[in-house]
Amino acid sequence: MTQPPRPLTTTAATSAPTEEEYDLIVIGAGAVGENVADRAVQGGLTAVIIESELVGGECSYWACMPSKALVRSVSALRAARAVPGAREAVSGPLDVAAVLARRDAVASHWDDAGQVRWLESAGIALVRGEARLDGAKRVVVTAPDGAERVVIARSAVAICTGSDAAIPGIPGLAESAPWASREATSAEHVPERLAIIGGGVVGCEMATAYAGLGSRVTLLSRGRLLSNLEEFASELVTERLRDDGVTVLAGASPARVDRAADGTVSIALEGDAAPIEADEVLVATGRRPRTDRLGLETIGLAAGEWLRVDDTLRVEGHDWLYAVGDVNHRALLTHQGKYQARAAGDVIAARARGEQVDDTAWGPYVATADHDAVPSVAFTSPEVASVGLTAAGAAERGLAVRVADYELGHVAGASLHADGYRGRARLVIDDERDVVIGFTAVGDDVAELVHAATIAIVGEVPVSRLQHAVPSYPTMSEIWLRLLETDRAQRRG
């Protein structure tokens, strides 16, 4: 067994900061940091997590959980109204106060006591404060009261600090006190008019939520919405948003943003379009790494940059340093960060024990699924569930592929789910290997379809073998049968 945490000898006369040793130091106590530490402790190491905010991180308090709580109330009401019998039982709009109260409960009222208890039960130490590297394996922590302590890593340091919303350099925007994702998911009121800059997942999800909560939403996007997904996903989400009263301005570029003395916001657009007037403006144009105050310059790395890692999550050129989750810019999704964390915690423990690490493509100590098998769900209306490559992405790689499309509304399970159900699904198949390399489904409540596709892609299951995976009837999973039949007909025709 490794040694327990050991305070190093210090003297009061020198006023030196308190020093401690652990096998592993984890900077950042979000879901990613928690999982790195937990797997390392399970592997026999001692671990400490350093956190300046709430234990549980962005996903628990300002991202995945509260945002989906907001969207869920909207989608539940829509689902009820789409089925006769239930439709007649529903009267009135959403109770906004009740929606926000449930959101608060889902976010644990921004109290991390439960997460702290979990750390204690897992045998993980917690230090509150701002962490910065001070050379190899040495971290200085500044507590909220200004006191400093030094923590030394015997084996490794893992940076799991995540990312922040990026605020583009639009004149006047920063001075206009814009909302970012944090403000949108924790807002105490619903603005009468909300302008959203950015047509990615965050922008579209928040447009869905706030339109459902009663805001008049204007969504500005330089290109089509959800531009990294299949084009039909963009089309169906755009159509539904407009049906819900959202003004979608694709191809719009803000030139300037100003907030007046009365609090209203004016967004001037490039060209001769009329300005957009709103009560709040939400910026959802991307993310930047939280690496600017970590002392990276003390080990020869650039502050404020994404950290490049290998498939064992080790930072290039530093055999003791790991970067896990958003900070390595591989896949900015909570579930992918936790996947990386499990690999990183295991490999850190294995290397600390002196084991030879198997870092082959699908070995136990690597995060290779981040390259080609990343599942994601946009909790928009309708939902978009996808994994692997789009048809365009496969073409960019020079792969010879074939595509099978099918209308989800023609599947019995979907037609039972809601009257007039609309949706679409696509398989992207590698023609040479005859395996699925991409899947996209768009429609209400399609999120649960994506894991079957993920297994097919990761397992590289031949299409001929998938014919024997029989979907239950009548469920939406029957889409798999219909897609495979479509592919078969296209090949024979």
Side-chain angles (χ1 to χ4, degrees), residues 61-141:
Y61 307 106
W62 300 288
C64 320
M65 297 304 288
S67 68
K68 304 316 173 280
L70 292 173
V71 171
R72 177 56 189 159
S73 296
V74 174
S75 61
L77 180 61
R78 177 187 295 279
R81 288 175 171 168
V83 181
R87 177 189 304 134
E88 288 74 17
V90 176
S91 61
L94 284 172
D95 184 327
V96 173
V99 173
L100 297 183
R102 181 173 187 264
R103 183 274 319 270
D104 293 352
V106 167
S108 302
H109 300 279
W110 293 273
D111 182 343
D112 65 359
Q115 294 294 102
V116 172
R117 286 193 296 272
W118 179 84
L119 287 183
E120 293 170 350
S121 71
I124 302 166
L126 171 66
V127 173
R128 301 272 192 181
E130 295 272 355
R132 69 179 187 280
L133 291 165
D134 186 26
K137 298 185 181 181
R138 179 182 172 90
V139 178
V140 177
V141 184

Side-chain angles (χ1 to χ4, degrees), residues 278-336:
D279 299 294
E280 297 291 350
V281 56
L282 165 60
V283 180
T285 55
R287 309 289 293 179
R288 65 177 186 85
R290 290 182 188 152
T291 58
D292 49 345
R293 300 196 302 176
L294 290 178
L296 292 174
E297 62 278 2
T298 69
I299 57 170
L301 296 174
E305 298 294 325
W306 304 102
L307 297 172
R308 293 177 60 85
V309 298
D310 61 21
D311 284 343
T312 68
L313 291 312
R314 186 161 59 181
V315 176
E316 295 177 359
H318 298 78
D319 62 4
W320 55 273
L321 184 64
Y322 295 75
V324 193
D326 282 13
V327 289
N328 61 40
H329 208 227
R330 289 165 65 110
L332 278 65
L333 296 163
T334 297
H335 49 274
Q336 290 302 121

